[in-house]
Amino acid sequence: MAIKVKAVRGMQDLLPEKKAAFRFVEDQVRNIVGQYGYREVGLPVIESTQLFSRLVGESTDIVEKEMYSFADRNGESLTLRPEGTAGLVRLANENGLIFNQVQRFWYAGPMFRYERPQKGRYRQFEQIGVECLGMEGPDIDAEILLMSARIWEALGIEKDVTLELNSLGDVSSRQRYKDALVNYLNDYKSDLDEDSLRRLSSNPMRILDSKVPATQQLLSGAPELLDFLDEDSQRHFQGLCEILEQAGLQYCVNPRIVRGLDYYNRTVFEWVTDTLGSQGTVCGGGRYDGLVEQLGGKSSASVGFAMGLDRLVLMVEGSRAKTDSVELYVVSIGDQERIKALVLAERIRKELGITTLVHSGSSKLKAQMKKADASGAKAALIIGEQELTSGEITVRLLRSEGSQERIKEVQLVAYLRKVFDRE
Ligand code: ATP
Ligand code: MG
């Protein structure tokens, strides 16, 4: 008996229109980050589990409950990457690309997180990430923000996204803030949701991220991170705001943004939209100056962001992305004629670059012509016995009331070049 195997929950099939939309988004991003001198790297999809548990942080959502980890045949614990920054820093460190250098990198590809699937949230999803190594900023922070704004313009969604900015300060200012926050929330323990209560001892700043309305309400009276910043971080943040103002990039300061991962410090930001329901963040990032050191490298100031392509695709879908459409359809009657059709189509694609579909199989002429019409092609080539013996091809212009002409085969390429306006 046949068994039915379905796609794994949370893993999407991308049908041609959808895949074209992904390609469109990626092409726009590739074009723009290239203009800023960013170079693409390829990261492995699988890394040692340790890389993420150490760098992303044991008590983050990702490491606590979202990783796809498994033992390989040698018993080594491996993980399908849930994000790209840890892998990129490993790559840069391992290949000697960090010390005394500045680097601007980007990467694209699938990430994996075991989450509850819903619109804009999947278990396999695509990210494009940008990472800058060896620059202290705040000018480089501003550069990547301006660059991301250019990307939204290229995608035509600049009116639907806003930039929210915050600073987490350095390790010691965060520690002082954590103490103050825990102190404040300790008085309201009984009002906290279950997750937040757990985080109160494991990772209290994550409570700021809570989506539970009652918890959000409680937080409105909580101390604010920006009041706890060390002097250098304060200066850095002011410097960044000043550049953004001069460059005319609008933002708002949101003291609740902490980002889900442990490695951030100083600048953090999110680009958010209200067009996607509760999956409203399309891009998030910030500085991670301490990450390289944690991997045993020399300390290196770094900043980056990752954008979620699945969400961006939902925003641009139907607007600009196009699949390659059929331009020419070749029909034939008879075995020899069918071979002729294939050979001719090869020549046309090669010489003119026209998207050409050859009818497959031996249906009646009428049925083939119906298919030709439905394909959306501008013209059809018809090859039957008469054509084969006379060395001519019938060309029917499908969008001009079925007008048709016999063209000598030797003149066909020149004729099509005109019809399709190819140089
Ligand atoms: P969220 O709060 O929505 O879970 P996050 O903070 O976990 O997001 P990041 O780790 O910052 O997300 O990843 C950067 C971007 O990748 C997000 O802003 C989002 O656009 C996208 N992203 C993250 N998780 C998913 C997912 N499960 N499905 C689709 N896109 C995702
Ligand atoms: Mg998440």
Side-chain angles (χ1 to χ4, degrees), residues 254-265:
N254 178 352
R256 296 283 174 76
I257 291 188
V258 291
R259 312 280 304 123
L261 301 80
D262 272 2
Y263 51 61
Y264 288 108
N265 66 302

Side-chain angles (χ1 to χ4, degrees), residues 324-343:
D324 286 341
S325 45
V326 177
E327 299 177 278
L328 181 67
Y329 199 99
V330 188
V331 309
S332 63
I333 299 294
D335 289 344
Q336 282 309 311
E337 289 78 358
R338 196 151 4 122
I339 296 172
K340 179 91 199 165
L342 278 176
V343 173

Side-chain angles (χ1 to χ4, degrees), residues 2-256:
I3 42 166
K4 274 204 180 139
V5 182
K6 290 195 163 173
V8 174
R9 185 167 140 81
M11 309 284 169
Q12 295 185 95
D13 292 325
L14 302 181
L15 301 185
E17 286 71 24
K18 188 89 165 176
K19 185 67 189 175
F22 272 81
R23 178 70 59 215
F24 169 77
V25 172
E26 189 177 327
D27 286 348
Q28 302 306 314
V29 178
R30 179 185 301 275
N31 177 26
I32 287 175
V33 298
Q35 287 176 13
Y36 286 76
Y38 288 67
R39 297 184 301 152
E40 185 177 10
V41 291
L43 298 169
V45 170
I46 297 176
E47 297 272 3
S48 290
T49 299
Q50 267 201 88
L51 180 76
F52 303 112
S53 51
R54 291 262 321 279
L55 296 193
V56 175
E58 294 282 3
S59 59
T60 58
D61 276 359
I62 289 183
V63 173
E64 264 184 353
K65 53 189 185 195
E66 294 176 358
M67 290 206 300
Y68 278 92
S69 300
F70 59 96
D72 78 354
R73 289 174 191 273
N74 285 325
E76 190 187 348
S77 179
L78 303 179
T79 294
L80 296 179
R81 60 180 183 196
E83 58 100 57
T85 303
L88 185 122
V89 167
R90 181 202 53 68
L91 168 147
N93 192 39
E94 204 167 320
N95 292 280
L97 301 174
I98 295 181
F99 185 50
N100 262 347
Q101 310 174 49
V102 299
Q103 303 284 3
R104 290 173 168 87
F105 290 130
W106 73 281
Y107 58 84
M111 305 292 159
F112 302 85
R113 298 184 192 176
Y114 191 80
E115 304 197 65
R116 196 168 70 77
Q118 49 198 299
K119 183 180 168 200
R121 191 177 295 284
Y122 312 98
R123 291 181 175 179
Q124 175 176 333
F125 59 98
E126 293 275 327
Q127 278 187 347
I128 291 185
V130 155
E131 317 283 355
C132 304
L133 308 172
M135 290 166 269
E136 281 191 23
D139 49 350
I140 189 67
D141 303 16
E143 176 179 293
I144 65 169
L145 288 170
L146 292 167
M147 184 168 77
S148 52
R150 289 271 319 278
I151 292 172
W152 314 143
E153 275 172 26
L155 297 176
I157 58 168
E158 71 277 14
K159 296 207 166 57
D160 295 323
V161 290
T162 52
L163 173 59
E164 302 196 339
L165 206 57
N166 192 19
S167 175
L168 300 177
D170 64 8
V171 178
S172 71
S173 46
R174 267 162 88 174
Q175 192 53 51
R176 282 185 289 126
Y177 175 68
K178 264 185 212 170
D179 294 345
L181 183 66
V182 171
N183 215 359
Y184 169 83
L185 288 173
N186 267 335
D187 291 343
Y188 300 97
K189 263 184 169 168
S190 54
D191 302 328
L192 280 176
D193 63 275
E194 202 181 315
D195 260 350
S196 297
L197 196 59
R198 197 167 39 83
R199 286 179 176 144
L200 195 57
S201 50
S202 66
N203 195 348
M205 279 172 58
R206 283 302 314 269
I207 299 174
L208 298 182
D209 242 4
S210 166
K211 298 195 168 87
V212 178
T215 303
Q216 280 295 332
Q217 186 77 36
L218 267 186
L219 287 169
S220 59
E224 287 202 348
L225 186 52
L226 285 173
D227 297 331
F228 288 75
L229 291 194
D230 56 290
E231 242 176 70
D232 285 347
S233 298
Q234 235 170 52
R235 215 173 302 121
H236 186 106
F237 192 56
Q238 277 159 9
L240 173 59
C241 294
E242 201 179 307
I243 301 173
L244 296 182
E245 268 148 41
Q246 291 207 18
L249 185 66
Q250 291 201 351
Y251 63 90
C252 66
V253 175
N254 178 352
R256 296 283 174 76

